[in-house]
Amino acid sequence: MFKTRLLSGIILVIIAVAAIAAGGPVLFTVLLCISLIGMDELYRAMGIHQKKYGLLETAGLLGAAAYDIALFFDRGAELSMMILMLTLVLIMCAYVFTYPKYQAEQIMAAMFGVLYVAVMLSYIYKTRNLEGGAWLVGLIFLSSWGSDTCAYCVGRLIGKHKMAPVLSPKKSVEGAVGGVLGAALLGAAYCAIIAGVNPADAHTPLMYALICGVGALISMVGDLAASAIKRNKGIKDYGTLIPGHGGILDRFDSVIFTSPFIYFLASVLL
């Protein structure tokens, strides 16, 4: 299992680096696929998808795709907001015109999936389009995947105090602190490594460390939130797409939460 997980992780990193470096249509296509697959996994977990695709989940998936396409063509925040409102209307149409096929909880989950997966992941693309964005996107993954690795190592070594004993018994306070500090150190080291190819004066090790540290705190909430949904629904993983890791949401749970905050922190601080 460890070898499978390690190999899958390496492949994921390679795909992520290649897509981020390419940017533009390549990154957009990868993110669109990740968003739609992640939404499909969430819809299955929430009981929206059953034996076949229905009107409700189709409305959610189409709305998410339309939102991403508008973002790609840079049509502005007004159009993006209009698409989200239209998606809500379509979801409500599916609710009322097929009543009583769907429950109110499924309707809320359908819209939640659009916001939680598609909209929040879109901030990876937005971050890539900032000045120096090719380097800034790396902070998203250092804050999520990097902090997760640091937290795991520190927790295994000195973890004693449970952070969320009911929800995630293996996570410790010591591991959380190690994850935040580790992410900050990774951010500072990353900035120093790319200094020769990143000419932006505001991109300093201190700023990168600060952004990664805050991002690591947010990523822990994302990780625990995804775990809470799985616990509520009685499932171990969201899917089986990534060997050793589970589904898209199992691997990108913390990335989903971290992406918007890295974007806003970078926009304000850099």
Side-chain angles (χ1 to χ4, degrees):
M1 176 60 74
F2 175 76
K3 290 182 178 179
T4 301
R5 185 178 177 86
L6 178 62
L7 181 59
S8 297
I10 292 173
I11 293 173
L12 276 176
V13 170
I14 292 173
I15 293 174
V17 171
I20 292 166
V26 175
L27 180 59
F28 165 76
T29 302
V30 171
L31 286 176
L32 178 60
C33 292
I34 290 174
S35 294
L36 294 180
I37 294 171
M39 285 181 61
D40 182 67
E41 291 176 352
L42 183 64
Y43 284 174
R44 290 173 186 272
M46 300 300 292
I48 297 174
H49 177 90
Q50 296 174 358
K51 293 182 178 180
K52 59 182 180 179
Y53 287 93
L55 186 60
L56 179 57
E57 62 187 313
T58 300
L61 293 170
L62 287 177
Y67 174 87
D68 282 342
I69 291 171
L71 179 66
F72 175 71
F73 287 104
D74 194 21
R75 297 303 183 185
E78 287 296 325
L79 179 58
S80 297
M81 184 57 65
M82 185 187 75
I83 290 173
L84 289 178
M85 296 301 101
L86 180 59
T87 302
L88 177 59
V89 171
L90 289 175
I91 287 173
M92 295 308 294
C93 284
Y95 184 34
V96 299
F97 291 119
T98 62
Y99 189 86
K101 180 177 181 179
Y102 300 110
Q103 300 298 310
E105 292 79 7
Q106 293 173 298
I107 302 303
M108 289 183 282
M111 192 63 199
F112 170 72
V114 177
L115 298 174
Y116 173 55
V117 183
V119 174
M120 295 185 79
L121 274 179
S122 72
Y123 279 89
I124 294 178
Y125 187 79
K126 285 187 172 186
T127 302
R128 177 63 175 82
N129 289 337
L130 292 174
E131 182 180 1
W135 310 113
L136 292 174
V137 174
L139 301 181
I140 295 174
F141 295 96
L142 288 176
S143 298
S144 50
W145 294 351
S147 69
D148 183 57
T149 301
C150 292
Y152 174 79
C153 292
V154 173
R156 286 293 299 269
L157 288 173
I158 61 173
K160 293 182 179 179
H161 301 86
K162 303 298 182 183
M163 184 171 66
V166 177
L167 178 58
S168 189
K170 294 183 179 180
K171 295 186 184 298
S172 65
V173 174
E174 293 83 358
V177 173
V180 172
L181 295 178
L185 290 174
L186 287 173
Y190 173 65
C191 184
I193 291 171
I194 66 172
V197 290
N198 181 17
D201 293 334
H203 292 216
T204 64
L206 178 60
M207 284 300 178
Y208 272 36
L210 176 61
I211 292 173
C212 279
V214 174
L217 286 171
I218 301 299
S219 76
M220 293 178 193
V221 179
D223 183 32
L224 290 171
S227 296
I229 294 174
K230 287 190 289 187
R231 286 292 183 94
N232 283 159
K233 295 302 176 181
I235 58 175
K236 183 179 183 296
D237 295 315
Y238 283 103
T240 58
L241 181 65
I242 309 172
H245 293 269
I248 287 293
L249 292 184
D250 294 295
R251 185 64 276 180
F252 285 84
D253 49 7
S254 55
V255 173
I256 287 172
F257 261 59
T258 306
S259 301
F261 288 92
I262 297 299
Y263 170 81
F264 290 120
L265 284 171
S267 298
V268 171
L269 297 177
L270 301 176

